[in-house]
Amino acid sequence: MVVGALPDATPAVVPVAPAVGGAVVTVAGVDAAGTPAHPALAGALAGAGLVVGAARHLAAVPVPPGCATVTLGPVEPALCRLADAVAAGVPAVVLASGDPGFFGIVRRLRAAGLPVRVLPAVSSVAAACARAGLPWEGTAVVSAHGRDLRPALNAARALPAVAVLTAPGAGAAEVGAGLAGWDRRLLVAERLGAPDERLTWTTPAEAATATWADPHVVLSLAPDCDGGMRADNQPAAAPAEGWALPESAYAHRASMITKAEVRALVVARLRPRLGRLVWDVGAGSGSVGIECALLGAAVIAVESDPDAPVRANAARHGVDVRLVTGRAPAALAGLPDPDAVFVGGGGLDVLAAVTDRRPGRVAVTLAALDRVAPAVRLLRAGGYAVEGSQLAAARLTDLPGGSLRLAATNPVFVLTGDLTRETP
Ligand SMILES: C[S@@+](CC[C@H](N)C(=O)[O-])C[C@H]1O[C@@H](n2cnc3c(N)ncnc32)[C@H](O)[C@@H]1O
C-alpha cells in the first residue's frame, strides 16, 4: 500500500499537453538500486537537446557533447527550460532517482503540462526491501521529503511496516527520535546503488543519535513483522468489523468502558485517520483508542491502573497502541504532540494540560454534572469551539415470553472542542 503525502485534497487531473513536433520529455530513473539504466535511455540521451538532473545524475550518464544541461537545484527554472524545449520541438531528458513516477518529478512535470515518457528504474523502497530480503507489498510508503514529518511518523507509529522517504533534517535520526517509546526496529538504507551503499539494522534510540548519509530511506518494522501484510490484505483500510463495537468486544471491568453509543460519537469527533496521533487519556479498557487505531491513527493510551487490559484488548483487535502507565497530567509530559485527545478520565487539571498541547480536537466524557460548565469554560478559554450533548441510550432487551423492554444506560455528557472551527 502506498500512502504518500496523506493528502486531504484530491489532486487535479492534468491533461498531458500534445507534444509540438513530437518532442517529449523522457524521464529516466538512473540509480537507487545499482541496476543498469533502462535500455531506452542511451537512445534518448543521444537524441536529446537538453538534459536536466541533479549533479550526481548528470555525472552518471553519457550526456552528448554540446547538449545543454540544467543542474537541479530548484525545479521551477528547469520546468521553464523544459517547456521551451518542448515548444521548440527539442527532445529533452530528465534524470531522477529510482522510479520517477513514485514520489518523484513526474508529478511536477505533468502539473506543468509537459508531455512525458517515463523510463523507470527500481525505486529506493523496492531496492531497500530487496537488499533486506523482505516482501514489501504490505509496506506503507510515506514521504518526509519536502513535507511535514509528523504524518509520516504517525504512520510508522500506527502500522507494522512503513518505508519513509527522507530529506536532510527529516531523516533516520528524526524518525528514530519520533519512534522513541514504540517497539520498532529500523533498517536505514543509505546511498543505495552507490559504491558507499550501507544498510544498517538499528533501534529508534540508536538511529536518533547516529549520523546518516543522504540520500537514505528508512524502513520501520514492528516486532516479528515480515512485510506488514494484514490478513485482510488491507493494511490501513476501515476496519472489517466496523467500530462502536459492543462492550463484549473488550475485556473490561464493570463500568470502566466507554459505552458503544457514546464511543461512536467520540470516535467520530476525534477524526482518527492514518497520519494522525490520538491520545486516549484515562483509557480504561482502551476501547476508544483501539477504535481510533482501527481507523488508522497512531494511539497513545494513558492509564494509571497497571492492570488495565489495554494491551490485551489492542492485541485482540490486531492494532498497535502504545500504553503509558501513569497518572495524567504528569504522565502526559514528554509525549509527542497529539492531533486529537479523548479525556475519558481525570479532572479539569487533565483537561487543562491537554488543551495546553493545542490538539486540533478534544473530546471529553463527563458523568458528573458539576464538571460540565467548568470544562466548557476551560475549552472556550483555550480557543476551542465547543459542542456538547447528553447521551442516555436505552437499549432493547429481551423479556421472558418474547417481549422487549428498554434498559437504561447511564447518562453521559460528551463535550467536544474544535480548534479548527471558529469560536462562536
Ligand atoms: C524525491 S524522493 C525520490 C524517490 C524515487 N523516485 C524512488 O523511486 O526511489 C527522494 C528520496 O528517495 C530516497 N532515495 C532516492 N535515491 C536513493 C538512494 N540511492 N539510496 C537511498 N535512498 C534513496 C531517499 O529517501 C530520498 O530522499
Side-chain angles (χ1 to χ4, degrees):
M1 184 197 64
V2 174
V3 176
L6 308 162
D8 284 316
T10 311
V13 175
V14 180
V16 178
V20 178
V24 295
V25 178
T26 299
V27 197
V30 286
D31 67 358
T35 48
H38 193 286
L41 177 59
L45 281 171
L50 173 67
V51 181
V52 173
R56 70 179 196 281
H57 294 147
L58 288 169
V61 301
V63 178
C67 177
T69 58
V70 174
T71 307
L72 297 171
V75 177
E76 221 46 60
L79 292 176
C80 294
R81 290 283 297 275
L82 288 164
D84 290 347
V86 169
V90 174
V93 173
V94 176
L95 305 169
S97 65
D99 180 348
F102 187 67
F103 293 98
I105 197 160
V106 167
R107 183 176 297 281
R108 294 291 297 274
L109 297 171
R110 284 179 58 86
L114 292 165
V116 292
R117 174 174 72 136
V118 181
L119 306 178
V122 174
S123 166
S124 54
V125 178
C129 293
R131 299 283 198 274
L134 288 168
W136 70 286
E137 73 275 17
T139 301
V141 184
V142 294
S143 178
H145 192 92
R147 307 165 204 242
D148 183 4
L149 178 64
R150 281 193 357 158
L153 268 181
N154 287 332
R157 291 163 174 159
L159 297 177
V162 173
V164 185
L165 297 170
T166 67
E174 290 76 15
V175 171
L179 288 176
W182 275 265
D183 198 0
R184 294 288 182 272
R185 60 201 166 109
L186 302 181
L187 175 68
V188 184
E190 299 165 89
R191 302 184 52 73
L192 287 160
D196 55 349
E197 168 179 316
R198 187 170 72 138
L199 267 88
T200 310
W201 282 105
T202 184
T203 62
E206 284 168 3
T209 54
T211 304
W212 304 100
D214 289 317
H216 62 267
V217 64
V218 183
L219 203 61
S220 160
L221 294 179
D224 303 325
C225 171
D226 193 18
M229 217 53 200
R230 281 187 0 181
D232 60 6
N233 201 19
Q234 298 289 324
E241 307 306 324
W243 58 98
L245 302 172
E247 290 88 79
S248 58
Y250 300 96
H252 61 95
R253 280 167 303 135
S255 58
M256 301 301 276
I257 182 164
T258 306
K259 299 290 179 296
E261 295 86 349
V262 175
R263 206 178 328 120
L265 179 64
V266 165
V267 170
R269 291 280 166 83
L270 293 171
R271 292 189 220 152
R273 56 170 288 185
L274 193 59
R276 293 191 177 150
L277 175 63
V278 177
W279 289 357
D280 181 358
V281 182
S285 68
S287 64
V288 170
I290 286 166
E291 295 192 358
C292 290
L294 284 169
L295 291 161
V299 176
I300 299 177
V302 179
E303 171 56 51
S304 56
D305 179 356
D307 297 326
V310 177
R311 278 209 182 91
N313 282 328
R316 175 173 172 183
H317 291 279
V319 290
D320 201 337
V321 169
R322 176 178 163 197
L323 176 61
V324 173
T325 303
R327 289 197 78 79
L332 306 178
L335 297 183
D337 286 334
D339 297 288
V341 180
F342 174 54
V343 183
L348 287 177
D349 55 340
V350 174
L351 188 57
V354 162
T355 56
D356 280 350
R357 300 293 288 274
R358 313 306 291 154
R361 281 158 302 285
V362 180
V364 192
T365 49
L366 297 164
L369 277 188
D370 50 305
R371 288 196 178 165
V372 174
V376 170
R377 281 197 290 271
L378 196 153
L379 284 166
R380 287 194 173 140
Y384 287 84
V386 180
E387 280 177 280
S389 359
Q390 181 255 309
L391 298 186
R395 293 179 172 177
L396 276 184
T397 310
D398 287 316
L399 276 177
S403 298
L404 295 167
R405 73 175 179 93
L406 289 173
T409 57
N410 286 337
V412 174
F413 254 99
V414 180
L415 298 180
T416 54
D418 194 337
L419 256 194
T420 60
R421 289 201 1 243
E422 267 184 32
T423 34

